[in-house]
Amino acid sequence: MKKPLQKSDPAEVVVLERCHIVESGDNRNAALSIKFESGDPDLYLQAFTESDCKSWIAALREANSEGLQKKILHLQQLIMEMKESEPADCLAREATQAGPILIPKLPHVEFSLACRELAAPARERKPNAVVQVAVINTQEQSLTAYSNTEIVEGTRDPLFLTGVTFPPEYAICEETRVKLTVYDVKDKSQETRSFLGCTTFSVGDLLKSKDQQLTLSLRTSDGTNTVGTVVVSHLKMGEIEDGEVDQIAADAQGQKYTLVCEAASHGTANDKDNNPLMNAVFKNPVCKVYRFQTVDSKWMFVREQMAECTLSFNIPKQLITLYIQEDMRRIQELKDLGDLSSHWDNLRKEVINHYGQMISSYQETLTELNKLTGSSFKPSCSKAEKYLEFIPINLHTQRMRVSCPRKTDAAYDVITVGAPAAHFQGFKNGGLQRLLSRFEAEKKNFSTAYQCIYYSPENTAKAKEVLTNIGLLQPLISSLADQLLQASQQHSSELLKEALKTLSDKTEQFVHALKDELVKNALLALYTARPSYVNKRHSTVCNNVDGNESPSKENCPHPLKRQDSIPHHSEYDEEEWDRVWVNVAKSLNCIIAMVDRLEEHENNNQETATDPKLADVITSHTSWDWQEQLYPLVVTLKDCVTEVVDRAKKSMTFVLLQEAACSIHQGLVLKQRRDVVFSQALAALACGFVMRLYAGLEDKGFLQQLHLVGLIAQFESLLSTYSEEIGMLEDMEVGISDLQRVTFKITEAKSEDPNDLQPIVSGRRDYYTVEVPLPREVFDVLPNEIKEGKPLQVYPVLFNVGINQQQTLAERFGDISLQERINQKNFEILDGYYKSLSEKVPLQYLPCFQTQSDLKELLETLQQNILTKKRKNVEILWLAGTICRRLNGVRFTSCKSAKDRTSMSVTLEQCALLRDEHELNKDYFIRALDCMRREGCRIENVQKNIKCRKYAFNMLQLMAFPKCYRPPEGTYGKVDS
């Protein structure tokens, strides 16, 4: 308030708090009143005009504390709406720039809940309590359901093991209000429940309260009656003192608890889970927190975090692009074969036509995938969609981090993914394993019908290998030859020797790769397919025979060992091919001899240059002299290599033409099916490799194991060996086995931009490399072998045990030999990996576990269980998983959709780890299992997939399940999955 003079000092200050501005004038006067809720006298103000009065009323209403608070809440609401479209760091930056009105988000906010003295719903029954947590939108006066606790039965003082977590991605601040509603659950299966009471609090009240703990009264809906209290305890992340640990005690009889639960050293754990490197590949995390009691009455803090992976779509899209490029190269190679007889030319046209159809189909799929944005996973309900068939089903990462008093934090990872299988193509005729076996058996008959030459799978694989080697070595030899000329131009003996050594090694490798009878005999077969070829004996191309008829010795001086179907002709000079590739070796020898001569000349010049009488005579070899001497020899080497490549490429292409022509339609359909299954499997493997690498970047023992031996990737499958799931398992077996063709390389990323941290796939169907970029500061501290690009091997193993009602039928009335064969075969791979690891890496580099079982003993027990004829022997899966973790490996768990049976397996494994490694109290094992299955990450996974919080089981199915794989009552039912 001021005096009438415009420049006068303030005479009085009015605090506009808890007040209302009302118009109080009449027809003659324009006035307003400020009425205070505190009971202070009203303040009467008069304006000159009515319009002035109204503008003052509006200004004063906006200036009071309630008006400012509404502005703050409105701006907070805008932030919450923007959080889906803007990164968290943008919001934080804007909040800082805007000043105190925009309140920045808080980091992880987590709290636990307990109730005391709840009102009994009936005299004869104590409540079965559950707490529903909701966030209040004060601006819109609405509630958003956020999470629930588990149900604690038959007590008025329930302690809830499931906590509440607001991760950094969630827009929460100190003014955010949370509503807690307590219900009494009468029937879990029918989800019938009655309201007991509710209360609200702000996050700021919790954080600023004494001991960061609130005790709130629960009131009925009309607010008149108190029905108990709820205790909210902030879960603090940090070191705890021994005295504080002792406070975390429980009176199990009286259900009275001191509600303080602290996590040892959890701040650094949060940083690892949410650093930029992790956030570049893993998206949309879902967090859950729990507290469980240990055997010594202490409390452990457990956090589950489930996330999607960008590689679900990224890897398949790269693979499809590589498939298209490879098939287009194959078409060009077929065209480059030159003139063929009409029979072979027609077959070539037909094969090219089918390749073109595949390319068109793949391009269409890639176009559709590039249109997709948003979610980074394929839900189970989309598993049979055509344009999504290359995408893995429901691929997620799951990490359980455990903090116990006075112990180091521990983390356990698992990748969950639907079984890699061709769901769109279906399983009417079985899966890949059966289809490929049948195809190889029938290929001989096809070759007769098409008048083709039958090549065994080994020879076909060899032809692909030769083509791969040619593609890699020819440009490399050409580049090394140019380096040799550059060294000669510089007149440097050292550079010349170094360049020559590398060139010699690669050229010898090239010659060795082509020194194969298959190439020689395929050239003869191609010769007989030329239009100019005249078969004087009028013999037809014969099919593979079992040695009953063999050509004469004069026409077949060098028959193949595995087949005698290659045509031979006396007019064809079989030694011509030997002369061609021998010319490569001769050219190299000439270069070596010339380099030796040049060096000898150089040495002689240096010795005689000291004699002044000879100074005028000596003409030292200048740099152009060296290059002039070597240039024609290098050109000759390149020409010889080019001639060899041209002939070898055509001969191997002809081999593959005959393979495709033997069964054009069926063979290419199988190829497409294998592409689909491999794409799903590789996306899952890349996800697991990246997660394991990120977790082990500071573990020198793991990094040494990685480059010396490689990484074990253990796939756990819960598919049955009955009906359609047999086909899925047959697909999965081949897809996992094909992962042996994959190696990984670690590279330095161009920048820390998320796009530059995405893995890159290169190669062709016979051999793929996945490059994983790391930021410079991370890359620089890696072992030299890894930084130099050493290929990192992966050893995939698959173990399967069916657990559902279909497996019961298979075990009693069907056939489980597929499962037995898979388990035995993959045990041998696992055992071989352990032996190799034992020879190359000290076993003390492996992780330490509380249970000190010897790895060798675990492997022997696993083998015994595999050989034992026992129904639904899930101990095979438990042992395989334990061995994998002891070997620093990557764990994968799969069923049909990675949603229901997978959830039961993952939660069981997590609780078993808490029991075996962190001394979980045995009385809490079932409760912990129920918590994770009822309100943990896995039920959120179900919700994401089918928009329903129900596992797809019915009571009849669950009767066939092992007991430890059955979900809690009320969490399952008939749903579309």
Side-chain angles (χ1 to χ4, degrees), residues 642-712:
T642 300
E643 185 178 2
V644 169
V645 166
D646 179 64
R647 297 192 183 208
K649 186 180 289 187
K650 287 179 179 178
S651 67
M652 296 299 95
T653 300
F654 190 64
V655 171
L656 298 181
L657 167 63
Q658 292 168 94
E659 182 207 25
C662 279
S663 177
I664 293 175
H665 176 71
Q666 185 178 350
L668 293 180
V669 166
L670 279 178
K671 185 177 186 179
Q672 185 172 2
R673 187 182 190 104
R674 199 165 188 171
D675 286 349
V676 166
V677 174
F678 179 75
S679 172
Q680 297 176 28
L682 181 59
L685 178 66
C687 172
F689 182 91
V690 168
M691 192 173 194
R692 184 65 191 88
L693 176 67
Y694 288 178
L697 286 172
E698 298 176 4
D699 185 346
K700 293 182 179 179
F702 166 72
L703 294 175
Q704 184 176 1
Q705 173 187 347
L706 187 61
H707 74 77
L708 286 176
V709 188
L711 188 68
I712 198 78

Side-chain angles (χ1 to χ4, degrees), residues 447-467:
S447 63
T448 301
Y450 281 89
Q451 296 185 12
C452 301
I453 303 167
Y454 170 72
Y455 286 95
S456 67
E458 293 81 8
N459 280 330
T460 302
K462 182 66 179 178
K464 294 177 181 177
E465 182 185 341
V466 169
L467 284 173

Side-chain angles (χ1 to χ4, degrees), residues 423-637:
H423 291 273
F424 173 76
Q425 297 183 32
F427 309 97
K428 183 178 179 180
N429 298 313
L432 272 173
Q433 189 271 333
R434 194 186 328 171
L435 292 171
L436 288 170
S437 298
R438 188 184 304 157
F439 174 67
E440 287 300 331
E442 295 175 352
K443 197 190 291 186
K444 296 180 183 181
N445 297 329
F446 290 137
S447 63
T448 301
Y450 281 89
Q451 296 185 12
C452 301
I453 303 167
Y454 170 72
Y455 286 95
S456 67
E458 293 81 8
N459 280 330
T460 302
K462 182 66 179 178
K464 294 177 181 177
E465 182 185 341
V466 169
L467 284 173
T468 301
N469 289 334
I470 287 173
L472 294 173
L473 291 173
Q474 184 190 14
L476 185 58
I477 290 173
S478 178
S479 174
L480 292 172
D482 292 337
Q483 290 179 25
L484 183 72
L485 290 177
Q486 290 174 7
S488 67
Q489 190 175 15
Q490 295 175 23
H491 204 71
S492 169
S493 296
E494 290 299 322
L495 290 177
L496 198 64
K497 287 180 181 179
E498 186 178 342
L500 180 62
K501 184 180 185 308
T502 310
L503 177 63
S504 299
D505 291 343
K506 294 302 175 184
T507 305
E508 288 174 10
Q509 186 179 340
F510 173 80
V511 171
H512 180 74
L514 297 177
K515 192 178 178 181
D516 193 284
E517 284 294 312
L518 177 64
V519 181
K520 186 175 181 179
N521 286 279
L523 281 169
L524 173 57
L526 178 59
Y527 170 77
T528 63
R530 298 295 185 194
S532 58
Y533 170 69
V534 179
N535 190 341
K536 295 181 178 180
R537 301 186 178 187
H538 305 287
S539 61
T540 59
V541 178
C542 60
N543 182 43
N544 181 53
V545 294
D546 297 328
N548 296 328
E549 297 180 11
S550 58
S552 62
K553 292 183 180 179
E554 64 176 354
N555 292 337
C556 184
H558 300 289
L560 281 179
K561 294 180 180 178
R562 289 195 177 112
Q563 62 189 50
D564 55 6
S565 59
I566 304 292
H568 305 279
H569 194 263
S570 57
E571 293 183 358
Y572 179 74
D573 185 1
E574 295 185 2
E575 295 181 0
E576 182 182 0
W577 168 245
D578 294 333
R579 289 194 295 269
V580 169
W581 66 259
V582 165
N583 284 341
V584 174
K586 288 181 178 179
S587 299
L588 177 64
N589 290 334
C590 289
I591 292 175
I592 294 171
M594 177 56 69
V595 170
D596 291 340
R597 193 180 310 158
L598 291 173
E599 288 181 349
E600 184 180 354
H601 248 289
E602 180 70 12
N603 293 333
N604 291 337
N605 289 339
Q606 290 176 358
E607 292 174 1
T608 57
T610 56
D611 187 349
K613 295 180 180 180
L614 299 176
D616 297 334
V617 181
I618 296 171
T619 305
S620 61
H621 286 262
T622 57
S623 59
W624 63 266
D625 286 322
W626 283 26
Q627 190 176 25
E628 187 179 71
Q629 295 294 326
L630 284 172
Y631 182 77
L633 301 178
V634 168
V635 170
T636 302
L637 174 65

Side-chain angles (χ1 to χ4, degrees), residues 834 843 851-861 883 886:
Y834 167 71
L843 293 182
T851 49
Q852 297 296 329
S853 299
D854 182 67
L855 264 170
K856 192 174 181 181
E857 293 178 4
L858 287 172
L859 283 162
E860 290 173 355
T861 307
I883 293 168
R886 299 290 178 92

